[in-house]
Amino acid sequence: MNPILNTDSYKLSHYLQYPKDIKFVNSYIESRGGRWNRLIFYGLQAFLIKYLSQKITAENISEACEFSKAHGMPFNKQGWEYILKEHGGALPVSIESLKEGAIIGTENVLLQVQNTDEKVPWIVGWIETALLRSIWYPVAVATQSYFCKQTILRFLDETGDEADVQFALHDFGARGASSFESASIGGSAHLLNFGGSDTIAGALFAMKYYGGQMPAISIPASEHSTMTAWGKDGEIDAFKNMCERFGDGVFACVIDSYDALNAIDLWAKNFDEIKKRGGRVVLRPDSGNPVMMASACLERIMSHTGYSINDKGYKLLPPFVRLIYGDGITPESLNDILNELKMRHISASNINFGMGGALLQHLNRDTLRFAMKASAISKDGINWQDVFKAPNTDMTKRSKAGVLALIKKDGVYHTIRADELKNQKNELEPVFKNGEILRKSSFDEIKARIIEHS
């Protein structure tokens, strides 16, 4: 990918639009609100490593110039050649940001960008497209996953064991994501909150750009093709084969190829063997009304295995069998299922969930109303002039003014002007300057911050 062309078409003409005496531009990124009132900041480091630290070349400039001409747009060839000559192709910008893994209220500055060379003030706006895209998506996935976790924790606190939360929500979203890179970024964001995933790309992404050990665990599991290949009359043999192959560990088996409740009756013939071998089967109904099917399947399993009553007064299956529901799971249906189980006095510890499209795909920039806006300009790099937008038709789109800072008071983040900072600590720390990455965090460090701030 030519880094010069990693932008929007209209950006090609913006270098001609700034006042001639403007030397520096300051812009910031924020969530202006949206689905949740707070968010998890995540994803910037990977973008800096993969994209923003990439140096431009003479070939990049030539290609971009030819493209712009054919595209009907002007091109700042002189400006890009200056960056190549004077900066070796490294982008002359500085970025300061909040630490990744911080949980922060919406409507706060998350990062701030300035150009470091007075001859290229237009470069700040140029990188907006790629930079904003690199932030809104991983933040949205991480935040959605986080709030799903809070829902599950609430029901586990009321009806089960909170220790069961680590693998309570499994990422099934790889095939429903818009691209391999989306699955990679979104899949890694989910792993900030949970330890289970079938999205291999997410685990690889987390390890490549944030280091550390394997962040995701999965288990052997069947799909409909491996079950229906035995034929309807051979379904019990398919189940027996799963038991023989994987019965000494944890494994999952889809049960709705024909009749989910009947499949539970068939599986009951293998329960003694699984119990004897010390394994656990996780049965997966995959169709029907999620709320009613989850509860019906658990009650059918209990009719075969019996149940204990935990110390909170809720029914708990024996340890060799559990249920996972992964069809049509959304934050709303997840809550509805757990609420129905609670009303039936069934512990939330009996069930795990799989989430696909709703986890990685049913999100967009407006989910958290992300925006990057210029907030200050300078003619000398010392004295700054406020700039902002304030549309009278929608004041929720009013942008912030001035060079900004972020402080934390009594555990709550607040955005202030940098000239009001005084002796307070600025939570925006330098992370990038002139092509060099100044700060990195490991995946484990980011997860620890989430736990600390929760």
Side-chain angles (χ1 to χ4, degrees), residues 86-243:
E86 298 298 324
H87 298 277
L91 297 185
V93 299
S94 64
I95 299 176
E96 55 181 12
S97 80
L98 181 64
K99 287 182 178 178
E100 297 193 37
I103 300 176
I104 183 172
T106 57
E107 301 180 53
N108 277 300
V109 57
L110 301 174
L111 64 85
Q112 192 162 233
V113 188
Q114 291 180 9
N115 58 298
T116 59
D117 187 319
E118 67 177 25
K119 295 187 181 296
V120 292
W122 50 268
I123 194 68
V124 174
W126 188 281
I127 66 174
E128 174 192 355
T129 305
L131 182 57
L132 188 59
R133 183 176 58 223
S134 77
I135 297 300
W136 77 256
Y137 177 65
V139 166
V141 175
T143 304
Q144 173 152 268
S145 175
Y146 171 82
F147 277 102
C148 286
K149 185 175 184 178
Q150 302 316 301
T151 297
I152 295 170
L153 277 171
R154 175 165 55 86
F155 281 97
L156 285 173
D157 177 62
E158 295 170 354
T159 74
D161 186 346
E162 292 181 52
D164 293 328
V165 75
Q166 177 68 1
F167 299 103
L169 184 62
H170 206 81
D171 177 5
F172 285 171
R175 71 190 59 189
S178 60
S179 67
F180 179 81
E181 187 167 57
S182 294
S184 301
I185 297 170
S188 73
H190 170 72
L191 291 172
L192 293 173
N193 302 295
F194 293 94
S197 175
D198 260 32
T199 300
I200 292 174
L204 293 172
F205 184 93
M207 295 168 72
K208 180 175 182 178
Y209 294 107
Y210 291 90
Q213 302 300 313
M214 170 60 67
I217 297 297
S218 191
I219 60 174
S222 68
E223 67 176 20
H224 289 104
S225 70
T226 63
M227 296 294 95
T228 57
W230 295 75
K232 186 174 182 180
D233 293 338
E235 188 173 32
I236 190 170
D237 296 316
F239 296 161
K240 183 178 180 181
N241 179 66
M242 290 291 291
C243 184

Side-chain angles (χ1 to χ4, degrees), residues 47 65 114 196 229 264 318-319 378 419:
F47 173 74
C65 184
Q114 291 180 9
I264 291 172
S378 175
D419 53 21

